Structures are given as structure tokens and as C-alpha cells.
Amino acid sequence: MPVTINGNGSITGLAQGGIDGTKVVTSAAQPAGSIIQVVNTNLTGIDDVSVPNGSLVDTPVTVNITSTIANSKFIITGAINGEANQADHVLGIVLRRVIGGSGTSINIGNAAGSRTPITAMHSQGLHTSDNLSTPSTNSLAAYVDSPGQAAGTTITYKYALIGIAYAFTYYFGRSVTDTDGAGYERMPNHITVMEVAP
């Protein structure tokens, strides 16, 4: 039997277990764990930011998502690619959530004493003779966030950087020295957020 959408909005012709003429399919009807929407930012250009010692700085690796359902969850993943004009081991990466102008660092370690709570350390890419032309790839594992928001809430997710005992400049998508040669790689940066039905 063919499936027919009738003029009154009802649907006929579906087999048992399908949708009868009284039900409307909405994102709210998705079973728990279903992906409702996916948004992402992919940056193929280059950029740079000044990273202070001990303070967070925003990066261009950011994305906005507006929740479809109250109390949905969000899966965040991404990659930071580039190089700093300082040793890799003094660069921390922090996942941030901003709702209504109020920012919160999420998926970070325990802030015990003077220790710096971060999401990830920058990957070690430089070596002594090549420390301005070896950008690193930082693949950031998927994290599930449960902000407890109302439907229709705009949430900004972003990766921030922090200098650990040093201040420096970070170059996104490129090496510090940007010579036109095969040994000076260019790479994208990205962040992807998926809304998941509660």
C-alpha cells in the first residue's frame, strides 16, 4: 500500500508500528540518545592570538548551537592545529561553554592548590632544530555536556588557550615561521557539536 500524506495532515498507508494519522513527528519525539542536530565550524584559514600567562584567551575555534529540547545533552569534539612561539609543554587547551554571556570551563581537571585545571595539554611537536616549523595536531576527544538548559537556548562552545608560566603567540593552521615551502605545513581547525535527545 502506498504511503499518502492527506490534505488534513494525516498519514495513511504505513505498516503496523509506523505513524498513524494522529501522531506528529517532531524532534521532541526522538528516542533518548538520538542525534537531533549537528553544527560545526571548520577554519581552513590562518589566525593568531596572544596567549597570556595564567589567563584564558578565546580562539576562533568556536561554534553556536540553539537547543531544540530542554535538558538535551551535547557532544563536543574538535581539533586545534598550529604552533606557538614557545615550547609546546607550556600551552594548555580548555573547553568552554557560554550561555547568556556567562562562561564556564568544562571537562577540566581538579583545581588543587596552584595547579592549572585544563582540558588537554598541547601535543608535543617541536624538536630543538625545528622549533618554528613543526605545527602540532591536537585531536580533542568527544565530551558529553549536560548544561540543563531550556529549549531555544543558544549555547556557545569554544576552545580557549592558557599559558602555563609563559606568555606567547599561538599561530592557528600554520607554523610560526610561515615560509613558502613544503616543510611549513598548513592545517585546519574545527569544532563540532551534536545535540542529543535526553
Side-chain angles (χ1 to χ4, degrees):
M1 173 186 288
V3 174
T4 305
I5 300 176
N6 304 308
N8 64 3
S10 65
I11 302 172
T12 56
L14 289 177
Q16 184 175 2
I19 303 169
D20 65 31
T22 65
K23 295 180 181 173
V24 178
V25 178
T26 66
S27 55
Q30 297 295 321
S34 298
I35 301 296
I36 300 169
Q37 64 170 317
V38 179
V39 297
N40 74 298
T41 297
N42 189 52
L43 305 166
T44 58
I46 59 173
D47 205 342
D48 62 81
V49 295
S50 294
V51 182
N53 175 18
S55 298
L56 293 171
V57 63
D58 286 343
T59 77
V61 188
T62 181
V63 69
N64 294 321
I65 187 167
T66 300
S67 60
T68 305
I69 301 173
N71 301 315
S72 54
K73 298 179 181 182
F74 298 88
I75 300 173
I76 308 102
T77 187
I80 300 285
N81 293 304
E83 187 176 36
N85 60 355
Q86 187 52 263
D88 288 329
H89 71 273
V90 299
L91 173 58
I93 302 169
V94 177
L95 178 57
R96 303 271 295 161
R97 177 207 318 127
V98 180
I99 298 177
S102 178
T104 303
S105 296
I106 58 176
N107 191 29
I108 57 173
N110 184 300
S114 299
R115 298 167 185 87
T116 306
I118 60 174
T119 301
M121 283 299 298
H122 194 274
S123 296
Q124 305 300 298
L126 66 84
H127 55 85
T128 310
S129 63
D130 195 21
N131 62 358
L132 296 178
S133 63
T134 309
S136 297
T137 295
N138 302 273
S139 296
L140 298 156
Y143 173 71
V144 180
D145 185 35
S146 303
Q149 81 298 327
T153 301
T154 298
I155 305 170
T156 300
Y157 286 103
K158 64 178 78 174
Y159 290 110
L161 301 179
I162 186 171
I164 301 170
Y166 292 89
F168 46 84
T169 300
Y170 189 81
Y171 298 88
F172 290 91
R174 54 166 275 199
S175 54
V176 172
T177 303
D178 196 29
T179 301
D180 185 6
Y184 299 87
E185 302 85 0
R186 292 277 180 95
M187 302 175 292
N189 288 271
H190 72 87
I191 183 170
T192 299
V193 179
M194 295 175 277
E195 184 179 11
V196 180

